[in-house]
Amino acid sequence: MTEATVETSPTSSGVIAKPELPSNGKADVLILMRNLWKTYDMGAEKVHALHGVSFEVTRGDYLAITGPSGSGKSTLMNLIGCLDTPSQGEYWLNGKNVSEMDDDELARIRNQEVGFVFQTFNLLARATALHNVELPLIYGGIPGAKRHEMAKQALAEVDLADRMMHRPNELSGGQRQRVAIARALVNHPSILLADEPTGALDTSTSYDIMNLFEKLHEAGNTIILVTHEHDIAARAHRIISIRDGLIEKDERIR
Amino acid sequence: MKLIRSDILENLWLALATLRDNKLRSFLTVIGVIIGVVTVMLIASIISGIDTSFTKEVESFGTRSMYISKYNPGIHVGRLSREERMRKPLTYDDAIFLSKLPTIEVAVPFLEITNNFFGQKILVSGGGKTSAQVGLQGTLPDFERAGTQTVAEGRFFSQFENDQNQSVCVVGSKVADDFFPFGSPVDATIKIGSEEFRVVGVLQKREQFLFSGGSDDQNNVIYMPYNVARKLKPNSEDVELMAVAKPGMMAEAMDQVTDALRVRRQVPFGSPDNFGIETTESLISTFHSITGGIAIAMVVISSVGLMVGGIGVMNIMLVSVTERTREIGVRKAIGARRQDILWQFLIEAMTLTGFGGFLGLAIGWLLTLVVKLIMPSYVPLWAPLAGFIASVGIGMIFGLWPAWKAARLDPIESLRYE
Ligand SMILES: Nc1ncnc2c1ncn2[C@@H]1O[C@H](COP(=O)(O)OP(=O)(O)OP(=O)(O)O)[C@@H](O)[C@H]1O
Ligand SMILES: [Mg+2]
């Protein structure tokens, strides 16, 4: 990236309008991003993974983010999921200004507001499916008995009631991803994020997972998923295309 | 307490699972801790054993007894000073003088004649056996009234026998058992040096301090009239004294004995005593200073073990944190705060060393059972408590830095870690 790009970055927050949340009359805004930058300082040069991304997501939406490899999809998802903090810009999630939060507050948001699904599942290998799903509840401070109930229910919702005591290596890829989805949903987050959730699965299993997302969306969940497969993206209601850290296209298809 | 929360049990469960998955590695890691705790257990039980049997033994001499020698009291390390070696001996007359003091009930001299004029052991034979290991003491019949020795069979020799130089003796229980295993030694004949003695009494067996055998054995002793002993060792009048205070007058008796001996031994005013008085109390406190030293050595040895263990634990925890970077990333991604991760690894380290401490307690306990076979001993409650607390504490101290490292990991970077 050139020096010029660095200079065009907004330096005063006065330019940015204070977002009005929640906006009365209009649809309920869940995510509001204003001019978001993510810069990696690689010593000699600065890598701008995102430069000035702004968009909104309303509650109940089903959004797919696509783009070529290295365009900044994962970087954006990590910011949305509060796993990472922006170098610059403003991010409001469910009425809270996330861009100004400290480590512990972000952990709290990740625990309560966000459910994250990864391409490689990221389950704890030594724990049973049930225990994996219970983990967010443990960090949420929910007592044992209630925790069990909630985890069992979440597993039942992804059709895994009969695999609760299995460890990840005793489950198929699709089943593992469903455990991960149950784990993401168990705390009833306001948003479900999935970074290439079908990337490690074969086609038919991918469709099963996509059907599950559809069902979850119909049940009222807000979903954002990253994919570079068109047929997967096409099942969402809205597609954002990213190229070189900028939004190239934002279209509603449903 | 909010910091600890309800997931402490969760973390404990997790830590135990990790331990179960890495049995050998965990065991090797905590060997230092095990050694430390075993040392604490073992030495505590040995000290307690020595302490109880010593205290019991010393107290059986009575709390009113004083043992007086021309040497300074306490433990002697290395050579005695020239002044001390050149001191004039205590005498028979000193004993008689002390016995007439108003606060003194009994005072008797002891003339040790185990070695003859040429420094050779005097042989004792009887019942067809011979020994050079028997302690030989000349004393007065008043010794019986001191109450530290009881006659089990026969009688003590009399003042008359002493005055008449009669070759009679009273033998300790070991002498009786060794020379006359079948039947009573009373009225039997024992040859001491070239002189024949008639046994008139056998003493009650005394409780032994630690190991038995040798000439130090309190039961391997023969008492004979003072005058007879003088005849066997005519060149020496070097005696030790025993004095027993009247009931309730121990302090006054000590003062009177000290004053009397200072006058009789012409100690100039203001100079230190040229003799030493040991009491049961002073012996016990001297002894405690020795066991205290051993206890300090124990603390040093076991803390070296614990330190080595601690460094091992720190190392293995750093490895564990690296191995589980991805797991840490996952946990953070689903909402674990820094303190949650910190506690997870702290508890894991504490569980690890606590497990080492537990093994140490078990092994140490088995070894104290072995010690018990050798000497009377017990394990004082503080030893396992201190051992266990120290091992868990070591886990906490040495686990802190790895746990802190884990807690500070960036979620994204950990998730990307291969
Ligand atoms: N930790 C990092 N340090 C330096 N550069 C980084 C880092 N993470 C990402 N980048 C850079 O930021 C850009 C965007 O990366 P990102 O992972 O968001 O791409 P992506 O769209 O998810 O790609 P893919 O489809 O291959 O997953 C890339 O150029 C990448 O090299
Ligand atoms: Mg990516």
Side-chain angles (χ1 to χ4, degrees):
Chain A
M1 303 295 142
T2 61
E3 281 300 308
T5 31
V6 178
E7 266 149 37
T8 54
S9 63
T11 43
S12 81
S13 54
V15 192
I16 301 157
K18 176 101 172 78
E20 58 287 350
L21 283 171
S23 40
N24 290 336
K26 283 198 281 176
D28 189 1
V29 175
L30 187 60
I31 287 177
L32 192 150
M33 288 202 165
R34 282 279 178 270
N35 215 346
L36 222 60
W37 287 69
K38 183 70 194 180
T39 309
Y40 293 107
D41 196 341
M42 302 301 286
E45 55 164 353
K46 286 182 163 51
V47 176
H48 299 286
L50 296 175
H51 29 134
V53 171
S54 308
F55 68 98
E56 289 177 21
V57 179
T58 50
R59 202 179 293 278
D61 208 349
Y62 186 1
L63 167 68
I65 299 175
T66 60
S69 184
S71 54
K73 306 183 295 291
S74 294
T75 306
L76 181 58
M77 277 301 257
N78 292 339
L79 289 180
I80 298 173
C82 297
L83 282 167
D84 212 349
T85 45
S87 310
Q88 244 168 342
E90 231 175 311
Y91 172 25
W92 292 71
L93 172 64
N94 205 11
K96 290 166 205 137
N97 189 353
V98 174
S99 38
E100 286 175 0
M101 285 185 173
D102 67 19
D103 257 29
D104 278 358
E105 286 170 320
L106 286 176
R108 188 111 199 105
I109 295 286
R110 290 198 290 270
N111 187 246
Q112 303 288 316
E113 300 283 352
V114 182
F116 218 112
V117 177
F118 304 89
Q119 177 175 356
T120 51
F121 323 132
N122 279 335
L123 299 174
L124 298 193
R126 291 176 310 166
T128 60
L130 184 66
H131 191 77
N132 266 294
V133 176
E134 273 185 56
L135 270 184
L137 302 172
I138 292 172
Y139 293 123
I142 292 170
K146 194 178 174 207
R147 204 159 77 196
H148 264 58
E149 256 341 285
M150 289 173 77
K152 278 180 187 169
Q153 203 192 324
L155 277 167
E157 276 168 34
V158 297
D159 288 332
L160 279 178
D162 53 341
R163 294 283 189 278
M164 285 193 295
M165 288 309 162
H166 289 234
R167 283 159 198 264
N169 60 0
E170 299 158 353
L171 296 170
S172 73
Q175 286 170 332
R176 287 185 214 182
Q177 195 58 301
R178 280 189 279 156
V179 173
I181 292 170
R183 180 180 66 186
L185 287 173
V186 70
N187 253 346
H188 305 298
S190 44
I191 188 157
L192 182 62
L193 303 176
D195 192 349
E196 309 217 27
T198 61
L201 303 174
D202 62 46
T203 318
S204 81
T205 317
S206 295
Y207 286 146
D208 290 345
I209 294 297
M210 291 316 293
N211 290 341
L212 177 57
F213 276 124
E214 217 139 274
K215 197 180 96 186
L216 292 171
H217 175 241
E218 271 154 26
N221 287 291
T222 312
I223 299 176
I224 302 180
L225 65 85
V226 165
T227 181
H228 52 254
E229 291 167 66
H230 288 297
D231 53 340
I232 299 284
R235 298 184 61 159
H237 291 200
R238 174 186 172 194
I239 301 177
I240 289 184
S241 306
I242 301 196
R243 183 177 295 275
D244 291 339
L246 276 171
I247 294 181
E248 188 187 45
K249 202 158 64 174
D250 184 348
E251 52 186 340
R252 184 158 294 280
I253 54 174
R254 234 170 239 116
Chain B
M1 285 322 270
K2 194 177 174 294
L3 202 69
I4 298 174
R5 307 195 318 183
S6 63
D7 56 51
I8 187 152
L9 266 181
E10 180 65 29
N11 281 327
L12 195 66
W13 179 88
L14 197 74
L16 287 172
T18 311
L19 217 148
R20 198 185 52 215
D21 291 349
N22 304 298
K23 282 190 203 73
L24 184 64
R25 182 170 99 175
S26 308
F27 176 75
L28 294 176
T29 304
V30 296
I31 281 180
V33 175
I34 295 177
I35 292 173
V37 173
V38 168
T39 311
V40 171
M41 290 281 287
L42 211 55
I43 303 202
S45 96
I46 291 174
I47 289 179
S48 83
I50 297 177
D51 225 69
T52 5
S53 53
F54 183 84
T55 307
K56 217 163 109 194
E57 155 114 4
V58 168
E59 276 173 0
S60 73
F61 284 106
T63 48
R64 287 187 284 134
S65 309
M66 285 168 258
Y67 294 87
I68 306 151
S69 81
K70 67 175 179 178
Y71 303 114
N72 289 338
I75 335 161
H76 299 276
V77 182
R79 259 170 85 84
L80 294 173
S81 71
R82 188 180 150 76
E83 183 274 324
E84 222 173 329
R85 272 181 291 129
M86 299 300 286
R87 283 176 189 174
K88 61 179 167 185
L90 289 162
T91 63
Y92 177 87
D93 290 339
D94 289 331
I96 301 302
F97 186 87
L98 292 186
S99 71
K100 297 201 169 96
L101 290 174
T103 55
I104 294 298
E105 191 148 299
V106 185
V108 289
F110 287 102
L111 181 61
E112 218 228 79
I113 57 164
T114 309
N115 296 313
N116 70 10
F117 177 63
F118 304 104
Q120 293 160 324
K121 294 270 184 197
I122 293 180
L123 292 182
V124 176
S125 48
K129 297 180 191 73
T130 301
S131 168
Q133 302 296 323
V134 183
L136 300 170
Q137 300 271 4
T139 187
L140 292 177
D142 271 353
F143 177 41
E144 193 187 3
R145 290 202 294 125
T148 59
Q149 292 273 17
T150 321
V151 176
E153 208 187 327
R155 59 176 177 84
F156 215 84
F157 51 78
S158 66
Q159 189 64 43
F160 179 77
E161 282 162 330
N162 179 59
D163 295 345
Q164 297 297 312
N165 286 339
Q166 291 189 16
S167 295
V168 290
C169 67
V170 177
V171 300
S173 63
K174 185 163 166 27
V175 174
D177 292 345
D178 285 355
F179 290 94
F180 308 100
F182 316 105
S184 167
V186 174
D187 283 335
T189 301
I190 279 188
K191 209 170 158 198
I192 300 172
S194 54
E195 197 97 7
E196 289 198 337
F197 283 73
R198 186 166 60 87
V199 178
V200 295
V202 181
L203 295 172
Q204 191 90 42
K205 185 170 164 54
R206 287 190 66 92
E207 275 307 311
Q208 283 302 297
F209 169 57
L210 294 184
F211 312 97
S212 43
S215 57
D216 287 335
D217 191 322
Q218 296 284 342
N219 294 307
N220 198 12
V221 66
I222 296 177
Y223 292 104
M224 65 184 74
Y226 178 81
N227 285 348
V228 180
R230 263 317 288 277
K231 249 173 47 195
L232 287 179
K233 204 177 182 183
N235 58 317
S236 166
E237 211 211 352
D238 199 341
V239 300
E240 296 196 349
L241 308 180
M242 177 192 184
V244 179
K246 286 187 172 150
M249 305 185 84
M250 185 60 179
E252 297 92 322
M254 288 266 288
D255 289 346
Q256 278 193 1
V257 167
T258 308
D259 291 346
L261 287 177
R262 282 179 72 93
V263 171
R264 288 177 65 81
R265 292 166 67 78
Q266 291 144 5
V267 180
F269 184 79
S271 298
D273 296 344
N274 61 0
F275 55 91
I277 302 178
E278 296 273 20
T279 62
T280 307
E281 221 172 290
S282 73
L283 281 174
I284 290 176
S285 77
T286 303
F287 189 73
H288 278 165
S289 71
I290 302 173
T291 48
I294 302 176
I296 289 171
M298 162 191 85
V299 170
V300 171
I301 296 172
S302 55
S303 28
V304 168
L306 289 173
M307 282 298 149
V308 170
I311 290 165
V313 167
M314 180 146 96
N315 182 45
I316 220 72
M317 287 310 294
L318 286 170
V319 170
S320 179
V321 168
T322 309
E323 277 177 355
R324 287 152 70 189
T325 302
R326 243 184 120 84
E327 175 192 324
I328 296 164
V330 173
R331 288 177 183 275
K332 288 203 150 187
I334 59 177
R337 293 163 303 170
R338 285 184 174 192
Q339 52 178 277
D340 295 320
I341 303 293
L342 186 83
W343 272 107
Q344 179 189 334
F345 283 93
L346 261 191
I347 288 177
E348 186 171 318
M350 278 154 57
T351 308
L352 189 63
T353 53
F355 155 81
F358 182 78
L359 279 187
L361 291 188
I363 297 171
W365 184 73
L366 285 178
L367 289 178
T368 59
L369 291 185
V370 177
V371 171
K372 229 178 201 146
L373 296 178
I374 304 168
M375 59 172 156
S377 67
Y378 65 98
V379 183
L381 185 64
W382 63 261
L385 277 183
F388 192 71
I389 291 173
S391 43
V392 173
I394 284 289
M396 177 136 174
I397 292 165
F398 286 87
L400 200 58
W401 150 245
W404 177 239
K405 261 190 84 165
R408 279 186 22 190
L409 284 176
D410 180 73
I412 288 294
E413 273 166 35
S414 334
L415 277 172
R416 214 176 302 186
Y417 183 84
E418 298 296 329

